[in-house]
């Protein structure tokens, strides 16, 4: 098990454990690293783990993540935050930990529609989609700057990571309910997720469920960091 599975971005109280979206690494969440303990899961094949091969099996990736998280002494006080693909991994990590009689204090799911177990959300095919189609999709989400994708070497790297993560996202969802409260966040102009479709997450918890709609696109979470922190404090 790699010691780089969890990357600490800032120290403090009220631990926040983040799960990055497709195509991103742990550093995506640096915008939240302020006056609280913020760590982020580092998937294989990027940033501090760039020498490792991409994960090809979601169950195996989740097994690695949950094995690492299960060792945390303050897991019961932690908030899981997953954005886009990371929302699926955050929920399924909580589900896996629950089988070990462990649980975070709550789970925050951002920009990811709930889909029935065994199905996958609407997204490009990680293998069949052309580079141009994939670039257009990434730009449409709003989280990737056009000048980045215009750079040949950067674009090649971003597309390679995105394809690997799209393959993971298409592998279907796990069954089961979690006992932790769920908070969902969705941008009011998100082309990939809607508040209405995210309402289905209410059926995946035996605890409280809350929804918040933010101003913005698929990357609305990153454009509303202070509001998000306030929501965490309000629902503590």
């Amino acid at each position: 098990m790699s010691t780089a599975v969890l990357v600490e971005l800032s120290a403090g109280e009220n631990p926040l454990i983040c799960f990055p979206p497709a195509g991103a690494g742990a550093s995506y969440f640096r915008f939240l690293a302020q006056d609280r303990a913020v760590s982020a899961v580092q998937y294989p094949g990027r940033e501090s783990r760039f020498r490792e091969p991409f994960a090809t099996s979601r169950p195996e990736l989740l097994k690695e993540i949950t094995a690492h998280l299960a060792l945390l002494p303050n897991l019961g006080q932690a908030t899981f935050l997953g954005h886009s693909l990371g929302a699926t991994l955050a929920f399924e990590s909580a589900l896996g930990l629950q089988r070990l009689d462990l649980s975070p204090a709550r789970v925050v799911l951002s920009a990811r529609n709930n889909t029935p177990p065994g199905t996958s959300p609407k997204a490009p095919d990680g293998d069949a989609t052309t580079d141009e189609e994939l670039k257009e999709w990434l730009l449409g989400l709003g989280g990737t700057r056009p000048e980045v994708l215009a750079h040949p070497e950067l674009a090649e790297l971003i597309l390679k990571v995105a394809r690997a993560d799209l393959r993971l996202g298409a592998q279907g969802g796990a069954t089961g309910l979690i006992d932790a409260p769920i908070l969902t966040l969705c941008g009011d102009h998100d082309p990939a997720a809607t508040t209405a479709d995210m309402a289905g997450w209410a059926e995946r918890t035996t605890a409280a469920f809350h929804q918040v709609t933010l101003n913005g696109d698929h990357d609305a979470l990153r454009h509303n960091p202070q509001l998000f922190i306030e929501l965490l404090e309000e629902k503590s």
Side-chain angles (χ1 to χ4, degrees):
M1 183 173 61
S2 171
T3 57
V5 170
L6 200 62
V7 177
E8 183 180 283
L9 301 177
S10 61
E13 299 180 352
N14 305 316
L16 181 64
I17 299 174
C18 306
F19 295 72
S27 65
Y28 174 90
F29 288 102
R30 288 198 181 281
F31 70 97
L32 289 175
Q34 46 180 302
D35 301 324
R36 65 171 49 237
V38 179
S39 297
V41 174
Q42 191 75 282
Y43 310 140
R46 65 215 69 193
E47 295 183 356
S48 59
R49 302 183 68 184
F50 77 97
R51 296 185 185 279
E52 301 178 41
F54 294 119
T56 57
S57 165
R58 200 157 96 205
E60 286 302 311
L61 176 61
L62 287 163
K63 183 179 179 181
E64 177 189 51
I65 293 171
T66 54
H68 193 91
L69 295 178
L71 301 176
L72 298 179
N74 58 353
L75 179 66
Q77 290 77 51
T79 294
F80 283 7
L81 166 63
H83 181 60
S84 197
L85 170 66
T88 296
L89 294 175
F91 175 82
E92 293 182 354
S93 292
L95 199 59
L97 288 164
Q98 191 166 279
R99 298 188 185 105
L100 302 174
D101 293 324
L102 299 169
S103 177
R106 60 186 160 181
V107 177
V108 181
L109 307 176
S110 168
R112 188 71 157 186
N113 292 334
N114 176 61
T115 54
T119 65
S120 56
K122 294 180 180 179
D125 186 304
D127 295 306
T129 304
T130 67
D131 284 354
E132 290 308 310
E133 289 170 337
L134 189 50
K135 286 180 183 179
E136 184 177 351
W137 178 72
L138 289 170
L139 290 172
L141 293 178
T144 307
R145 299 193 305 274
E147 59 268 26
V148 173
L149 290 180
H151 190 289
E153 293 180 355
L154 286 177
E156 181 181 5
L157 177 60
I158 290 171
L159 296 183
K160 186 177 180 181
V161 176
R163 287 185 188 281
D165 288 347
L166 286 169
R167 295 184 192 107
L168 284 179
Q171 290 180 12
T175 60
L177 311 179
I178 63 172
D179 295 331
I182 290 178
L183 167 66
T184 65
L185 307 173
C186 186
D188 56 3
H189 290 91
D190 189 336
T194 66
T195 299
D197 287 335
M198 290 190 70
W201 287 110
E203 302 172 5
R204 306 303 304 276
T205 178
T206 60
F209 176 78
H210 299 281
Q211 284 190 287
V212 174
T213 301
L214 305 173
N215 294 324
D217 53 24
H218 192 67
D219 218 32
L221 170 68
R222 190 152 60 173
H223 300 311
N224 295 272
Q226 190 54 46
L227 174 58
F228 173 67
I229 296 300
E230 291 171 3
L231 285 171
L232 288 186
E233 294 173 350
E234 175 186 324
K235 299 186 181 301
S236 296

